[in-house]
Amino acid sequence: MAWLVLGICLFVGLLLIGRWFVSADPASLARGVKWGAAGLLVMVALFLVLAGRLGLAVAAISFVLPLVMRWRALSNRFKAARGPTPNQKSGLRTATLEMSLDHDSGEMTGIVHAGAFAGRRLEDLSMEDLVALREECAARDPESVSVVETFLDRAFGSAWRAGGGAGEEEETAASRPATGPMSREEALEVLGLTEDATGRQVRDAHRRLMKRFHPDQGGSDYLAAKLNQARDVLLG
């Protein structure tokens, strides 16, 4: 009778787990597997002890416990199987600008939060305004110069240089690699990842963004250097 009750409980439990498995997101699924396995282990062990099968209880614990301890590896598998998250965005902040990079479309948007154009969005500024913003940043925020130049190149090609913003032969800030230390928090923001991102997710996000913002794809050496730096910080 005891085995029949246990079998019915296991059957019902498996049905509930199957329904939840279909609808749950990978992160919740991994946590559920961890705690569900631990709970099941406790229930089975308790049943065997009450049934006078202490030896089987010890054997069950010895078999299942290592599997429970390896729940993180299982979680990483679920994350890898999920693939890139739709509508994912990366963030890049400087003293003057706050930028957003769309992983799917490659669109680059931003807002000015200091200086004469504070509160204005880059995409709403004219080419002349952007060139003026570049000159303003050149006097006090070289890192923002790199970002504005990248935005100008993506929005207007070389037209802004011909208009006097920069000569064709001039080495612009966007052509120089990014310098300075990067925190882990900033690296996660640059690649659009969360704290629990796996190594594979870091490499996938880096590869996906490099396809969008590499100099050969309308990006810049500056952005490429930032992406490389973020990857190195997270994998280092």
Side-chain angles (χ1 to χ4, degrees), residues 159-178:
W160 69 277
R161 303 173 190 274
E168 288 291 341
E169 300 301 325
E170 178 185 349
E171 181 189 19
T172 60
S175 68
R176 296 190 292 271

Side-chain angles (χ1 to χ4, degrees), residues 34 64-77:
K34 173 190 174 182
V64 177
L65 188 60
L67 300 179
V68 176
M69 298 300 292
R70 296 180 59 187
W71 71 271
R72 184 172 296 275
L74 181 62
S75 173
N76 292 342
R77 287 178 177 270

Side-chain angles (χ1 to χ4, degrees), residues 3-21 40 43:
W3 289 108
L4 178 61
V5 173
L6 178 61
I8 293 174
C9 291
L10 289 176
F11 178 73
V12 174
L14 288 174
L15 285 179
L16 294 175
I17 291 173
R19 292 182 60 185
W20 172 73
F21 185 92
L40 181 62
M43 290 176 59

Side-chain angles (χ1 to χ4, degrees), residues 90-92 101 103 182 186-192 209 226-227 230:
S90 295
L92 180 64
L101 313 177
H103 290 209
M182 178 182 289
E186 182 183 359
L188 289 169
E189 186 175 13
V190 167
L191 293 181
L209 286 167
K226 277 290 188 182
L227 294 173

Side-chain angles (χ1 to χ4, degrees), residues 30-223:
R31 288 193 297 270
V33 169
K34 173 190 174 182
W35 296 112
L40 181 62
L41 174 62
V42 172
M43 290 176 59
V44 172
L46 182 60
F47 174 82
L48 291 175
V49 169
L50 293 177
R53 299 177 178 271
L54 182 60
L56 284 177
V58 173
I61 294 175
S62 301
F63 174 76
V64 177
L65 188 60
L67 300 179
V68 176
M69 298 300 292
R70 296 180 59 187
W71 71 271
R72 184 172 296 275
L74 181 62
S75 173
N76 292 342
R77 287 178 177 270
F78 283 125
K79 291 177 182 177
R82 177 175 53 182
T85 304
N87 302 318
Q88 195 172 5
K89 295 181 183 295
S90 295
L92 180 64
R93 299 184 183 184
T94 68
T96 304
L97 304 169
E98 184 171 346
M99 305 299 298
S100 177
L101 313 177
D102 189 276
H103 290 209
D104 297 328
S105 66
E107 182 182 13
M108 185 177 183
T109 58
I111 187 170
V112 184
H113 56 76
F117 295 94
R120 303 281 301 277
R121 299 198 64 84
L122 291 187
E123 53 269 30
D124 295 335
L125 297 178
S126 66
M127 184 175 73
E128 292 73 19
D129 287 340
L130 288 167
V131 171
L133 175 62
R134 174 187 180 271
E135 296 304 318
E136 179 184 322
C137 292
R140 57 182 176 81
D141 185 10
E143 187 177 17
S144 291
V145 176
S146 304
V147 179
V148 175
E149 288 176 351
T150 302
F151 189 88
L152 278 163
D153 284 337
R154 293 175 70 87
F156 302 103
S158 61
W160 69 277
R161 303 173 190 274
E168 288 291 341
E169 300 301 325
E170 178 185 349
E171 181 189 19
T172 60
S175 68
R176 296 190 292 271
T179 58
M182 178 182 289
S183 67
R184 178 177 176 82
E185 180 180 5
E186 182 183 359
L188 289 169
E189 186 175 13
V190 167
L191 293 181
L193 299 171
T194 56
E195 182 63 40
D196 60 348
T198 65
R200 179 173 177 177
Q201 287 178 308
V202 170
R203 286 185 285 270
D204 287 347
H206 173 266
R207 182 166 51 251
R208 187 165 59 252
L209 286 167
M210 285 295 282
K211 290 180 180 179
R212 295 289 188 182
F213 299 103
H214 189 274
D216 294 339
Q217 303 297 328
S220 69
D221 290 337
Y222 170 79
L223 282 179

